[in-house]
Amino acid sequence: MTASFDTIPHQQLMRSVARRIVDRGILKLIKMWLKAPVEETDKDGRKRLTGGKRHKWGTPQGGVISPLLANLYMNRFLKFWRLTEQGRKLKAHVIAYADDFVILSRGCAEEAKAWTREVMCRLGLSLNETKTCVRNAHKERFNFLGYSFGPHHSPKNGKRYLGASPSKNSVSRLKPRISAILHRGNNDPWEEVCAPLNRLLKGWSGYFGYGTCAPAYRAIDNHVMTRVQRFLVRRHKVPSRGTARFSRDTVFGELGVLSLCAKHAMRPRPWALREAGRRAG
């Protein structure tokens, strides 16, 4: 589920802030942030101003303090969940991160969704219906924080298991960032091209290093391989696709590009860590 903070009431929000902050200067500054006009561009390319002094709800889109205020206000929902013991009543747990959250329930998913919608309405919020759904995690996947959770199948024996893996959207969003580094007009020395590319790959794999990563890593490696070959073929004016001159071993070896699959293969497996811990006592 995703809560929409475009309708968060300023008065109630400031009450929540005032319970934690007593400095009047800071409270005044936060009010000014909430009232600050924001220039937005619609899908037709037209610019418009939103917010302003008369605006009484919503947090500025892209505002530096908006995520913090959203988390603070979201805490009201989580606190009410705990005080009313919904976890026990609905046989459920809430996992929240900023405005995204999931409710894991055993047999009471529809009841949990209805209760959440009602409480959100009382708080002046609304659920983003396009991102809110009910899934049977034993039979179908759901996405949360860039990961896809639910049934997976082992490539070795085809057996089904419940797990997590980087979502397809997460892989798709990384590819344009790779292409942006290896764009046609980049004339920097190769070392200065490779360094930010490796930082990007290392950072992405640092977050997406949990669960079943191999398929996503292969897809990224293949994309990197193709983009690097095209980049170097243009730079060196090679009269071919460059598959021989810039082979996989050359790209991920001599040229120093980080291979996520190679990095994954070197990662200690859980069973190996357990065995090392057992031997160490």
Side-chain angles (χ1 to χ4, degrees), residues 148-167:
S148 180
F149 297 90
H152 290 66
H153 292 85
S154 172
K156 295 181 179 179
N157 51 31
K159 288 186 177 180
R160 181 176 172 275
Y161 67 95
L162 295 179
S165 60
S167 69

Side-chain angles (χ1 to χ4, degrees), residues 210-237:
Y210 174 80
T212 304
C213 306
Y217 284 5
R218 280 195 298 270
I220 295 300
D221 273 7
N222 291 337
H223 180 76
V224 169
M225 181 69 191
T226 301
R227 295 302 304 180
V228 168
Q229 282 181 335
R230 292 178 182 175
F231 178 83
L232 293 176
V233 163
R234 288 195 301 266
R235 168 167 289 192
H236 297 283
K237 299 179 181 180

Side-chain angles (χ1 to χ4, degrees), residues 103-119:
I103 299 178
L104 306 177
S105 174
R106 291 183 178 272
C108 302
E110 291 294 347
E111 293 87 338
K113 181 180 177 181
W115 184 91
T116 299
R117 180 179 285 109
E118 179 184 351
V119 172

Side-chain angles (χ1 to χ4, degrees), residues 2 113 117 126-133:
T2 300
K113 181 180 177 181
R117 180 179 285 109
S126 61
L127 289 179
N128 187 330
E129 297 297 337
T130 60
K131 297 182 179 180
T132 300
C133 59

Side-chain angles (χ1 to χ4, degrees), residues 166 170-171 174 178 197-209 213-225 248 252 257-267 269:
S170 299
V171 174
L174 177 64
I178 295 171
L197 176 61
N198 283 346
R199 283 197 298 269
L200 174 62
L201 295 173
K202 185 177 180 180
W204 190 89
S205 63
Y207 179 81
F208 292 104
C213 306
Y217 284 5
R218 280 195 298 270
I220 295 300
D221 273 7
N222 291 337
H223 180 76
V224 169
M225 181 69 191
R248 181 172 290 267
F252 294 120
V257 178
L258 177 65
S259 168
L260 299 190
C261 288
K263 178 184 176 184
H264 180 67
M266 295 174 63
R267 186 181 65 175
R269 295 295 183 262

